[in-house]
Amino acid sequence: MTDQELREQICLIGQLLHRNRWIDGAGGNISARLDDNRFLATPSGLAKGFMQPDHLIVVDPAGKRVDVPTSANRYLRPTSEIAMHLACYDKRPDVGGVVHAHPPAVVALTAAGIDLSRYLIPEVVITLGVVSSLPYSAPGSPDLRHAIEGAAFQSDALILALHGSLTLGTTVWDAYLRLENLDFAAQVAFMTHQLGGLREPLSSQQIQQLMAIRERIGLLRPGDSEILRRHADNNDV
């Protein structure tokens, strides 16, 4: 994919985030790895649903801008949350794209203290594996980056308490699709909780079968063994 095509794809993702109401105002941010030392990122303070390819900014691993400003982005700055993205790229050489959004169902579950891992459905186990839920840290803070560094190693989808989500992929499009998976799972959990809670959780044997599928299609992550442990703990409650 050329640089221009990647820029256009990030703008498309921004439009989809806006259309699906997973961001509001100038919220959310998107990035993609260009090479080991350069990352393409959305700017701060710009509505992601209305970006143009020339608005995007290139930064180095320290978050410093390294591109030549254009008339379109001369007065723009890299997203203030670029540290979250860089933490993922630093810990995961396989990651080529990161998407941060504020899906209302995800945020609502954390606000209500509802653990998504109690509402496992086949799609979550196969496509996402372990969904790491991180305690609240101020957006852009060193504490949040530190928490993400630990969680990104084992997870492709992270829930940030009262804040939103962070999804990772080998490409930025893969990261976006994982956001769709996560939002679907959160909406199912939200509705299930409204209907009285989970009546028949997946059994350990069923989860093992789903994990075997995940491994067969090459999606297994180091932390996926936690799925069975958490499931057993939840069923003991």
Side-chain angles (χ1 to χ4, degrees):
M1 181 176 290
T2 66
D3 177 273
Q4 182 63 23
E5 289 171 336
L6 184 57
R7 288 172 178 268
E8 291 173 357
Q9 187 173 76
I10 289 175
C11 289
L12 171 60
I13 291 171
Q15 293 166 15
L16 292 171
L17 296 182
H18 173 74
R19 189 180 308 163
N20 287 315
R21 300 182 66 83
W22 292 335
I23 55 175
D24 63 305
N29 29 79
I30 310 161
S31 69
R33 188 194 297 269
L34 294 173
D35 54 43
D36 289 342
N37 297 304
R38 297 183 306 135
F39 306 91
L40 191 60
T42 53
S44 178
L46 190 68
K48 308 309 178 294
F50 303 92
M51 291 186 303
Q52 299 299 319
D54 286 348
H55 286 144
L56 303 180
I57 294 170
V58 180
V59 300
D60 66 12
K64 180 181 178 181
R65 184 171 186 173
V66 293
D67 60 352
V68 177
T70 67
S71 58
N73 66 20
R74 179 170 296 130
Y75 299 106
L76 298 175
R77 305 183 311 278
T79 170
S80 60
E81 297 184 305
I82 189 63
M84 292 196 305
H85 298 249
L86 297 174
C88 296
Y89 294 124
D90 182 53
K91 296 299 179 182
R92 293 277 300 277
D94 62 304
V95 167
V98 177
V99 175
H100 169 53
H102 306 149
V106 172
V107 177
L109 289 179
T110 69
I114 299 171
D115 186 355
L116 182 62
S117 68
R118 291 185 61 84
Y119 295 85
L120 289 179
I121 55 177
E123 290 77 11
V124 173
V125 179
I126 294 174
T127 61
L128 297 180
V130 170
V131 176
S132 293
S133 294
L134 305 183
Y136 175 77
S137 295
S141 68
D143 286 344
L144 181 57
R145 171 165 182 153
H146 180 71
I148 288 171
E149 285 175 339
F153 177 72
Q154 69 175 12
S155 300
D156 292 323
L158 285 63
I159 293 177
L160 315 178
L162 303 178
H163 186 176
S165 64
L166 197 67
T167 49
L168 292 59
T170 54
T171 68
V172 69
W173 187 250
D174 289 336
Y176 166 75
L177 292 178
R178 287 196 170 111
L179 170 59
E180 289 197 350
N181 298 145
L182 181 64
D183 178 70
F184 175 78
Q187 292 195 51
V188 169
F190 190 95
M191 289 185 283
T192 301
H193 187 74
Q194 288 182 312
L195 293 171
L198 190 63
R199 300 298 174 86
E200 296 185 17
L202 292 170
S203 69
S204 294
Q205 181 179 4
Q206 289 170 329
I207 290 181
Q208 285 179 325
Q209 292 171 340
L210 296 169
M211 292 285 284
I213 296 173
R214 181 167 167 79
E215 182 174 17
R216 186 164 66 248
I217 61 180
L219 294 178
L220 205 66
R221 293 292 310 151
D224 282 343
S225 61
E226 287 292 294
I227 290 179
L228 291 175
R229 184 189 65 77
R230 291 180 185 178
H231 179 71
D233 290 345
N234 288 337
N235 283 348
D236 288 341
V237 174

